[in-house]
Each structure stands twice: as C-alpha cells, then as structure tokens.
Amino acid sequence: MHPLTKVASATAFALALGLGSAQAATEIEMFFPVPVEGKLAKEMQSLMERFNAAHPDIKAKAVYTGSYDETNLKTHAAIKAGRPPAAVIMSANFVLEYQIADEIQPLDPLIAADGKTSDAFMDQFWPALHGNARFAGKVWGVPFHNSTPLLYFNTDHFKEVGLDPKNPPKTWAEWSDAAKKLTKREGDKTTRWGLMLPSNYDYLGWVMTALDMSNGGQYYNSEYGGEVYYDQPSMRGALTFVDNLIHRDKVMPEGETDGKAVSTAFFAGQTSMVVLSTGSLSFIRENMKSGYGVAFVPSNIRNAVAIGGASLIMPKGLSDEQRKASWELIKWLTSPAVSGGWSRFTGYFAPNKAAYDLPEMKEFLAKNPDAQVAVDQLAYARSWFATYSTVAVRKALEDEVQAVLSGKKKPLEALKAAQAKAEEIMAPYVAATAMNLPK
Amino acid sequence: MATAALSSRFDGLRFAGVAILSLVALAWSTPLLWMAIASFRPQSFGGLDMASLAPNFRPTLANYVEALDSADFAGLYLNTAIVCLGILAVQLVTITLAGYAFARLEFRGRTLFFYAFLLQLMLVPPILIVPNLVTITRLGLYDHLVAVMAPYFASAFGVFLMRQTFRTIPRDFEEAAAVEGAAWWQVVIHVLAPLARPGLVAFSIVSVVAHWNEFLWPLMVISSTENQTLTIGLASFTRGAESASQWGVIAAGTFLVAAPLLTAFALFQRQFVNSFLFSGVK
C-alpha cells in the first residue's frame, strides 16, 4: 500500500470511528408524572438505567413532570415550543385530545415495521384498555399502567355488625344495607361512617363514571368526542343513590371529601367502606392495621367500571432515529417483565396480559389475593371517558355533583345544569365535526 | 384621677390588642407548628393523631431519613440558591435603572411607558408559559438554569417600587452631587441607591421568597434531574394522585425546603420588618 493511501485510509478509519461514536447513542427524553405514593420517581430512574444498559445505542432520560395535569400542560407547551419529548406517560383519557389537536403520531407504521399487525399488537393488552389507546382507526397510545376503582372494606367492622367479610355487597341494595349497619352514631354525632367516596376533582368524575356504568349507563359517547350523557336516567339514578346515602340514610358524610382524606379515614377506622383506585392497593396493604378486603364496585344493573391510569404516547416532530429509539423504549416499558415489575411496585395492574403468566407474578398473586380481584374486575371494565376538552367537560359534571353532595342542589337540576355546561364547552368541536354539514 | 382612669383604659385596650394579635399569630403559625410536629411523628394510621398538634409520641428522624434519601437535596439547594440569587442580582440592576428612568428622566411618553410596564402585573403567569417556552427554546436555553431565571430579569413590581422610592428622595441630594460634578450613573450608585436601601431590601425578600417557592415555570423548562429546583424535587416524592399521603415524609420534606428561608427570617427579623415599614410594602 502506498504510504499516502495508508494515511488516508487511517484518517478515514479514524473519522469513521469519530463519527460512529458521535452517532452511537440517540438521546431521547420521556416525560412522566408520579401518580401514586412512594419512591416512584427513583424507581423510574433505575428502570431507565436498565433500559440504557440493555440498549447501548440509545440514551433515554426520564423527566419528572408533576401531576397528570401538569404533565399534560408541559407536553403541550414543549410540543408548541418545538422541543417535543420522544415519549410521554399520559393520562389515558387525554390521548384523544392529542389526536384531535394533531400533536401525536399513530403507531401503526412502527408496529408494521416490526412485522406485526395492529390487531396482534393490541391483543397483548387487556381488552378493556383498547378503547382509550386505539380509536379513529389507529393506535395512538400503548397502555403503561392502569387501574380501576375498587370497593375496599374493613373486615373487622363487617364481623362486628354481623356481615360476612367473605361475601361483600354485590348490589346497590346490599351495599346501602351494609352501609346502614356499619354506621355508628352517638346522639347526633356520627362516629363511624358506613361508606366514603372520594369527591375531589378528577377522582369524583371517575367515581361517578363507575356508578353510572354500574347503573347501565355509557357516560359518554366512546366513538365520538362531542357527546356526554349527564342527564340520562342511568346518571340520575347514580347521583340520586349517592344523594340518598348522604341526606336520607346519613351513612356517608356530607360535602366534598378528598381522596387522601378518604384513605386516611379508612386507615383510622372512621369509615368501614371506601371506593378507591387499585393504585392505592400497595399502600393500603402496607399500612392498614385492621383486616381489609377488596371487591368489585357493587352494581345496580350490571358490573361495569371505567379504567384509569396512563398510556405511552409519541409526539409528532421527532427525527427518524428518535422515533425508533422511542419505540424501543415504549416496547420495553410495556413488555411483560417490566410491566409486571412496575405493577408489583405500584399496585397498578399490568396492562400486558402476558405479565400474569410469569412465575414471579403468579407467586405475588398467590401471596396477595387482593391484587387478583383488581385483575378479575377487568373483564367488566370499559373505556375511560375522553372527549373534546376532557378536563373541562369532566369538571362541568363534578361542580354540579359537589353541589348535590353538599345539599345545595337536587340531582335532576344539577345534572341538567351539568349537561348544559358540558354541551357549551364542546360546542366548537361539535360545530366543526358532527354539525359541519354540506352547505 | 382622670389621667389614671384614662391610662388604665389605655392599658385595657393595649391588653386586648396584644391578646388579639397573639391569636392571629397562633393561627398563622399553626401550619408551621403542625409541619414541625408531623415531621417527627412515626408513620402510623392507628387513629386521628396525625392531625393533632400535641406531640404524644416518641420522636423519630425516620421521616427525614426517607425524605433525604428520596432526592438529592444538596443539588436542589444549590440550584435553588443559584436561581434565586441570579434572578435577584440582575433584578437589582434592572429595577434600579428603570426606576431611576421613570422617576427622574424626562422623556416623551414616560407616563404611557410606565403604565404599559405596570400592565405586566395584570397578566396571570401561566398564560405566558407557551410563548416564554418558545423564546427560551429558540435561544437554546431549554433545560438550563438560566432559562428558569430569564423571564424574571425585568420585574414590573420592582420597577414600580423603585420609582416610588426614588420619588420620595428629595432632589437636593442629587443636585448637590451634580454640583460636585457627578455623572448621572454616579448619582444613582452613590446617592440614590444607598438612600433607597429599605426599598431594595424589601424587594429582595419578596423576590427570593417568590422564586424559592416557584413550581410551575421550573417544571416546564427544566428536564434534567440535576437541574431541578427544590419545589420540583419535593413534589417528585410527595405528590400522589391515587393514594393516601405519607404525611410525615411530606412534612419532613417541606420542612427541609422551607428551613433556609425560616432561618434567614429568624436571623434578620428586625431588618426585614424595618425595611417593610420604610418601604410601605405590607
């Protein structure tokens, strides 16, 4: 070889090396909220370290972004500012808004590039989760961690008043009977409530969805983001049931009760039954002093609740490398082993069905049969309401329901007002879609 | 006789005044007191004692250990200090100069400009998040501490405060300096700024406290863990939407976040109060 050629090829080789190392790792960012108690932020960082170790060509960074609502705000802002994160763990019912705003990309091309059909891909996840992830003909989100509302009850209290803890209430009639028996009064003062429901924003909407669906209702049009059914008989029945528990039977406290106050009251034995998320399961298991049990949310017409939790979404505006790296991360985070581990750590159930075939999950469920109830209820779970401007439309109902809880309004007038408010909020979307007719 | 009766009535009023103020002080300090007690309370849900103010338990440091373990507090303190002091340093320069301009310089449209400046106070900060984020990203500052500080370099409130403070200073001082041959900037540095010290101190306190406690903007603009400020670090392990709270750990973490400000207040209490009295900021 000619000396010059030698030098040239050596230089080329060095350049290639240099370029190679410059391109070695695609850097991506993932936004994540911390929805449950504990050191989840730390656990998420260690998941990222494991992912990066297993994928030397990717350098993923998890960015803590506050609550679900703040994560939503930061994601919209970052997309508008031209700094989209490569992936976001987004409240499952906000995904629709991103699709309406054209800010996220469909995942079908990436699924197809892996040689899979979208049907086969979605089939990995529990059917109840499909509605919030795949709509308008495309896959927009991948379920990451999910929950349903559960009935938690104090077994010691049950035994004390002669109820069978092995046979918790299944219907609303049994539920209200149990609540009456469990309520303890001293004169005018209630020392123990039969039942408490969380009624802060977000939680209240979710609990009302569960009651409405258990009463045969739909709550919203799962096929179209411009319709809700707040003033229909199913919702009227659900809200009247709650109103009766508070103001007629006096087995539930009046006014607004924060989710944290509900769980604290349950720990303190001040209430015998509560409805809380499956996401609270680990925390209750670790901290509850007296015996407790979990059951499906009781039904009036049918067993049905809405899912909660979050999905992974991928914003638009990423480079090809980032897109590929983000897809690797999303697939890894939702794989059976990682999904199962996160589920055991948090209390959420694992969206990936195969997680429950792994030996460590089987062992865990054998030890903690309460976690099995959460999984069983999934067969009856439905999509979480998602509409145009989801949060505002949800608040339209919550404000009115809170007025009923505090005795300021009667159910029917409250629901009519909620429906009118919700329709007003969705009007621009309706005008641009369902009412956009040929001229 | 009459004076004795008057003075005893005065004593009575005085006593009532002190009693009412003590009650107000108690009401204001209850959350702090509760935080301090709860942070030493062992984690338990056995009863309602979590809400009680009486320390009826054996104190534990477990909550502090857990809080310190949950976030890198040294880094958080450093970042927060850099942000607060960085903002303040720039602000002191900008508000002094702008305050001087609005108070002393004659130029066309002065009043109009001043009112336009004041309009800033009417804007709710969250509506500026997206435009500010776009600017920060274009400047290439996303995820830098400078980005947390930049939107606050000019403060409408500070300019207003300094303009008012300068206007209370008699012009004689400046004229005397001018006779001695001082340039305008020498007048500002050597005459006006020292005389406006109470105003500057009052503004510094408001500024540092506000930015120490700020949450939303740093959350929007910071992505790396190593660039986080205290409030975000605290939130990352104390906020959970779907479960009961570990009040002890929250109280300990909050205490760690608030401690430097509380200490500073205790140390410089007299000076703080004096400068607020002087500047008329309540």
Side-chain angles (χ1 to χ4, degrees), chain A residues 385-439:
Chain A
F385 74 93
T387 59
Y388 170 79
S389 200
T390 305
V391 175
V393 171
R394 184 195 73 211
K395 266 188 77 180
L397 179 78
E398 289 173 324
D399 285 331
E400 294 297 329
V401 171
Q402 283 176 353
V404 173
L405 298 184
S406 53
K408 283 183 209 130
K409 277 195 181 175
K410 286 281 145 210
L412 185 59
E413 56 165 331
L415 290 176
K416 288 230 181 296
Q419 180 72 26
K421 185 84 211 284
E423 282 174 9
E424 188 189 320
I425 296 164
M426 293 183 294
Y429 179 67
V430 171
T433 52
M435 291 306 290
N436 184 10
L437 306 170
K439 296 224 166 63

Coordinates of all heavy atoms in Angstrom, one line a residue, chain A residues 385-439:
Chain A
F385 N -63.7 7.9 30.1 CA -64.3 8.9 29.3 C -63.3 9.9 28.7 O -62.4 10.3 29.4 CB -65.4 9.7 30.0 CG -64.9 10.7 31.0 CD1 -64.7 12.0 30.7 CD2 -64.6 10.2 32.3 CE1 -64.2 12.9 31.6 CE2 -64.1 11.1 33.2 CZ -63.9 12.4 32.9
A386 N -63.4 10.2 27.5 CA -62.5 11.1 26.8 C -63.3 11.8 25.8 O -63.9 11.2 24.9 CB -61.3 10.3 26.1
T387 N -63.2 13.1 25.9 CA -64.0 14.0 24.9 C -63.1 15.1 24.5 O -62.0 15.2 24.9 CB -65.2 14.6 25.6 OG1 -64.8 15.4 26.7 CG2 -66.2 13.5 26.1
Y388 N -63.7 16.0 23.6 CA -63.0 17.2 23.3 C -62.9 18.0 24.7 O -63.9 18.0 25.4 CB -63.9 18.0 22.3 CG -63.4 19.4 22.1 CD1 -62.3 19.7 21.3 CD2 -64.1 20.4 22.7 CE1 -61.9 21.0 21.1 CE2 -63.7 21.8 22.5 CZ -62.6 22.0 21.7 OH -62.2 23.3 21.5
S389 N -61.8 18.5 25.0 CA -61.6 19.3 26.2 C -62.0 18.5 27.5 O -62.8 18.9 28.3 CB -62.3 20.6 26.1 OG -61.8 21.5 27.1
T390 N -61.4 17.3 27.6 CA -61.9 16.3 28.6 C -62.0 16.9 30.0 O -63.0 16.7 30.7 CB -60.9 15.2 28.7 OG1 -60.8 14.6 27.4 CG2 -61.3 14.1 29.6
V391 N -60.9 17.7 30.5 CA -60.9 18.1 31.9 C -62.1 19.1 32.1 O -62.8 19.0 33.1 CB -59.6 18.8 32.2 CG1 -59.6 19.4 33.6 CG2 -58.5 17.8 32.1
A392 N -62.3 20.0 31.2 CA -63.4 21.0 31.4 C -64.8 20.3 31.4 O -65.6 20.6 32.2 CB -63.3 22.1 30.4
V393 N -64.9 19.4 30.5 CA -66.2 18.6 30.4 C -66.4 17.8 31.7 O -67.5 17.7 32.2 CB -66.2 17.8 29.1 CG1 -67.4 16.9 29.1 CG2 -66.2 18.7 27.9
R394 N -65.4 17.2 32.2 CA -65.5 16.4 33.4 C -65.8 17.4 34.6 O -66.7 17.0 35.4 CB -64.1 15.8 33.7 CG -64.1 14.8 34.9 CD -62.7 14.5 35.3 NE -62.1 15.7 35.9 CZ -60.8 15.9 35.9 NH1 -60.0 15.1 35.2 NH2 -60.3 17.0 36.5
K395 N -65.2 18.5 34.6 CA -65.4 19.5 35.7 C -66.9 20.0 35.7 O -67.4 20.3 36.8 CB -64.5 20.7 35.6 CG -63.3 20.5 36.5 CD -62.4 21.7 36.6 CE -63.0 22.8 37.5 NZ -62.2 24.0 37.6
A396 N -67.5 20.1 34.5 CA -68.8 20.6 34.4 C -69.7 19.6 35.2 O -70.6 20.1 35.9 CB -69.3 20.6 32.9
L397 N -69.5 18.3 35.2 CA -70.2 17.4 36.0 C -69.8 17.5 37.5 O -70.7 17.5 38.4 CB -70.0 16.0 35.5 CG -70.8 14.9 36.3 CD1 -72.2 14.9 36.0 CD2 -70.2 13.5 36.2
E398 N -68.5 17.5 37.7 CA -68.1 17.5 39.1 C -68.6 18.6 39.9 O -69.0 18.5 41.1 CB -66.5 17.4 39.1 CG -66.0 16.1 38.6 CD -64.5 16.1 38.5 OE1 -63.9 17.1 38.1 OE2 -63.9 15.0 38.7
D399 N -68.6 19.8 39.3 CA -69.0 21.0 40.1 C -70.5 20.8 40.5 O -70.8 21.1 41.7 CB -68.9 22.3 39.2 CG -67.5 22.7 39.1 OD1 -66.7 22.5 40.1 OD2 -67.1 23.3 38.1
E400 N -71.3 20.3 39.6 CA -72.7 20.1 40.0 C -72.9 19.0 41.0 O -73.7 19.1 41.9 CB -73.5 19.9 38.7 CG -73.5 21.0 37.7 CD -74.2 22.3 38.3 OE1 -75.2 22.1 39.2 OE2 -73.8 23.4 38.0
V401 N -72.2 17.9 40.8 CA -72.3 16.8 41.8 C -71.9 17.2 43.1 O -72.5 16.9 44.2 CB -71.4 15.6 41.3 CG1 -71.4 14.5 42.4 CG2 -72.0 15.0 40.0
Q402 N -70.8 18.1 43.2 CA -70.4 18.6 44.5 C -71.5 19.4 45.2 O -71.7 19.4 46.4 CB -69.1 19.4 44.4 CG -67.9 18.5 44.2 CD -66.6 19.3 43.9 OE1 -66.6 20.5 43.8 NE2 -65.5 18.6 43.9
A403 N -72.2 20.1 44.3 CA -73.4 20.9 44.9 C -74.4 20.0 45.5 O -75.0 20.3 46.5 CB -74.0 21.8 43.8
V404 N -74.6 18.8 44.9 CA -75.5 17.8 45.4 C -75.0 17.2 46.7 O -75.7 17.1 47.7 CB -75.8 16.7 44.4 CG1 -76.7 15.6 45.0 CG2 -76.6 17.3 43.2
L405 N -73.7 16.9 46.7 CA -73.1 16.3 47.9 C -73.2 17.3 49.1 O -73.3 16.8 50.2 CB -71.6 16.0 47.7 CG -71.2 15.1 46.6 CD1 -69.7 14.8 46.5 CD2 -71.9 13.7 46.7
S406 N -73.1 18.6 48.9 CA -73.2 19.5 50.0 C -74.6 20.0 50.2 O -74.8 20.9 51.0 CB -72.3 20.7 49.8 OG -72.5 21.3 48.5
G407 N -75.6 19.4 49.5 CA -77.0 19.6 49.8 C -77.5 20.9 49.2 O -78.6 21.4 49.6
K408 N -76.8 21.5 48.3 CA -77.2 22.8 47.7 C -78.2 22.6 46.5 O -78.9 23.5 46.2 CB -76.0 23.6 47.3 CG -75.3 24.3 48.4 CD -74.1 25.1 47.9 CE -73.0 25.2 48.9 NZ -71.7 24.9 48.3
K409 N -78.1 21.4 45.9 CA -78.9 21.2 44.7 C -79.5 19.8 44.8 O -79.0 18.9 45.5 CB -78.1 21.3 43.5 CG -77.9 22.7 43.0 CD -77.4 22.8 41.6 CE -77.3 24.3 41.1 NZ -76.7 24.4 39.8
K410 N -80.6 19.6 44.0 CA -81.2 18.2 43.9 C -80.6 17.6 42.6 O -80.2 18.3 41.7 CB -82.7 18.4 43.8 CG -83.4 18.7 45.1 CD -83.5 17.4 45.9 CE -83.3 17.7 47.4 NZ -82.7 16.6 48.2
P411 N -80.5 16.3 42.6 CA -79.8 15.6 41.5 C -80.3 16.0 40.1 O -79.5 16.4 39.2 CB -80.1 14.1 41.7 CG -80.3 14.0 43.2 CD -80.9 15.3 43.6
L412 N -81.6 16.1 39.9 CA -82.1 16.4 38.5 C -81.6 17.7 38.0 O -81.1 17.9 36.9 CB -83.6 16.2 38.4 CG -84.2 16.4 37.0 CD1 -83.6 15.3 36.1 CD2 -85.7 16.2 37.0
E413 N -81.9 18.8 38.8 CA -81.5 20.1 38.3 C -80.0 20.2 38.2 O -79.5 20.9 37.2 CB -82.0 21.2 39.3 CG -81.5 21.0 40.7 CD -81.7 22.3 41.6 OE1 -81.7 23.4 41.1 OE2 -81.9 22.1 42.9
A414 N -79.2 19.6 39.1 CA -77.8 19.6 39.0 C -77.3 19.0 37.6 O -76.5 19.5 36.9 CB -77.1 18.9 40.1
L415 N -77.9 17.8 37.3 CA -77.4 17.1 36.1 C -77.8 17.9 34.8 O -77.1 17.9 33.8 CB -78.0 15.7 36.1 CG -77.4 14.8 37.2 CD1 -78.0 13.4 37.2 CD2 -75.8 14.7 36.9
K416 N -79.0 18.5 34.9 CA -79.4 19.3 33.7 C -78.4 20.5 33.5 O -78.0 20.7 32.4 CB -80.8 19.9 33.9 CG -81.9 18.8 33.8 CD -83.0 19.3 32.9 CE -84.2 18.4 32.7 NZ -83.8 17.1 32.1
A417 N -78.0 21.1 34.6 CA -77.0 22.2 34.5 C -75.7 21.7 34.0 O -75.0 22.3 33.2 CB -76.9 22.9 35.9
A418 N -75.3 20.5 34.5 CA -74.0 19.9 34.1 C -74.0 19.6 32.6 O -73.0 19.9 31.9 CB -73.7 18.6 34.9
Q419 N -75.1 19.0 32.1 CA -75.3 18.7 30.7 C -75.2 20.0 29.8 O -74.4 20.0 28.8 CB -76.6 18.0 30.4 CG -76.8 17.6 29.0 CD -76.0 16.4 28.6 OE1 -75.5 15.6 29.4 NE2 -75.7 16.3 27.3
A420 N -75.9 21.0 30.3 CA -75.9 22.3 29.5 C -74.4 22.8 29.4 O -74.0 23.3 28.4 CB -76.8 23.3 30.1
K421 N -73.7 22.8 30.6 CA -72.4 23.4 30.6 C -71.5 22.6 29.7 O -70.7 23.1 29.0 CB -71.9 23.3 32.1 CG -70.5 23.9 32.3 CD -70.7 25.5 32.5 CE -69.5 26.2 32.0 NZ -68.3 26.2 32.8
A422 N -71.6 21.2 29.8 CA -70.7 20.4 29.0 C -70.9 20.6 27.5 O -70.0 20.7 26.7 CB -70.9 18.9 29.4
E423 N -72.2 20.8 27.1 CA -72.5 21.0 25.7 C -72.0 22.3 25.2 O -71.5 22.4 24.1 CB -74.0 20.9 25.5 CG -74.5 19.5 25.5 CD -76.0 19.3 25.4 OE1 -76.7 20.3 25.2 OE2 -76.5 18.2 25.5
E424 N -72.0 23.3 26.1 CA -71.4 24.6 25.8 C -69.9 24.5 25.5 O -69.4 25.1 24.6 CB -71.7 25.5 27.0 CG -71.4 27.0 26.7 CD -71.5 27.8 28.1 OE1 -72.5 27.5 28.8 OE2 -70.6 28.6 28.3
I425 N -69.2 23.7 26.4 CA -67.8 23.6 26.2 C -67.5 22.8 24.9 O -66.5 23.2 24.2 CB -67.2 22.8 27.4 CG1 -67.4 23.6 28.7 CG2 -65.7 22.5 27.2 CD1 -67.2 22.9 30.0
M426 N -68.3 21.8 24.6 CA -68.0 21.0 23.4 C -68.5 21.6 22.1 O -68.2 21.1 21.0 CB -68.5 19.6 23.6 CG -67.9 18.8 24.7 SD -68.5 17.1 24.8 CE -70.1 17.4 25.4
A427 N -69.2 22.7 22.2 CA -69.9 23.3 21.1 C -69.0 23.6 19.9 O -69.3 23.3 18.7 CB -70.7 24.6 21.5
P428 N -67.8 24.2 20.1 CA -66.9 24.5 19.0 C -66.5 23.2 18.2 O -66.4 23.2 17.0 CB -65.6 25.1 19.6 CG -66.0 25.4 21.0 CD -67.2 24.7 21.4
Y429 N -66.2 22.1 19.0 CA -65.9 20.9 18.3 C -67.0 20.3 17.6 O -66.9 19.8 16.4 CB -65.4 19.9 19.4 CG -65.0 18.5 18.9 CD1 -63.8 18.4 18.1 CD2 -65.7 17.4 19.2 CE1 -63.5 17.2 17.5 CE2 -65.3 16.2 18.7 CZ -64.2 16.1 17.9 OH -63.8 14.8 17.4
V430 N -68.2 20.3 18.2 CA -69.4 19.8 17.6 C -69.7 20.6 16.3 O -70.0 20.0 15.2 CB -70.6 19.9 18.5 CG1 -71.9 19.6 17.8 CG2 -70.4 18.9 19.7
A431 N -69.5 21.9 16.3 CA -69.8 22.7 15.2 C -68.8 22.4 14.0 O -69.2 22.4 12.9 CB -69.6 24.2 15.5
A432 N -67.6 22.0 14.4 CA -66.6 21.7 13.4 C -66.7 20.2 12.9 O -66.0 19.9 11.9 CB -65.2 21.9 14.0
T433 N -67.4 19.4 13.6 CA -67.5 18.0 13.2 C -68.9 17.5 12.9 O -69.4 17.7 11.8 CB -66.9 17.1 14.4 OG1 -67.5 17.4 15.6 CG2 -65.4 17.3 14.5
A434 N -69.7 17.1 13.9 CA -71.0 16.5 13.7 C -72.0 17.5 13.0 O -72.9 17.1 12.3 CB -71.6 15.9 15.0
M435 N -71.8 18.8 13.4 CA -72.7 19.7 12.8 C -72.1 20.5 11.6 O -72.7 21.5 11.1 CB -73.2 20.8 13.9 CG -74.1 20.2 14.9 SD -75.5 19.4 14.3 CE -76.5 20.8 13.7
N436 N -71.0 20.0 11.1 CA -70.4 20.5 9.9 C -71.0 19.8 8.7 O -70.5 18.8 8.3 CB -68.9 20.4 10.0 CG -68.2 21.0 8.9 OD1 -68.8 21.8 8.1 ND2 -66.9 20.7 8.7
L437 N -72.1 20.4 8.2 CA -72.8 19.7 7.2 C -72.6 20.3 5.8 O -72.2 21.5 5.7 CB -74.3 19.7 7.6 CG -74.6 19.2 9.0 CD1 -76.0 19.5 9.4 CD2 -74.3 17.7 9.0
P438 N -72.9 19.5 4.7 CA -72.8 20.1 3.4 C -73.6 21.4 3.2 O -74.8 21.4 3.7 CB -73.4 19.0 2.5 CG -73.4 17.8 3.3 CD -73.4 18.2 4.7
K439 N -73.1 22.4 2.6 CA -73.8 23.7 2.5 C -74.7 23.6 1.3 O -74.3 23.1 0.3 CB -72.8 24.8 2.4 CG -72.0 24.9 3.7 CD -71.8 26.3 4.2 CE -71.3 26.3 5.6 NZ -70.0 25.7 5.7

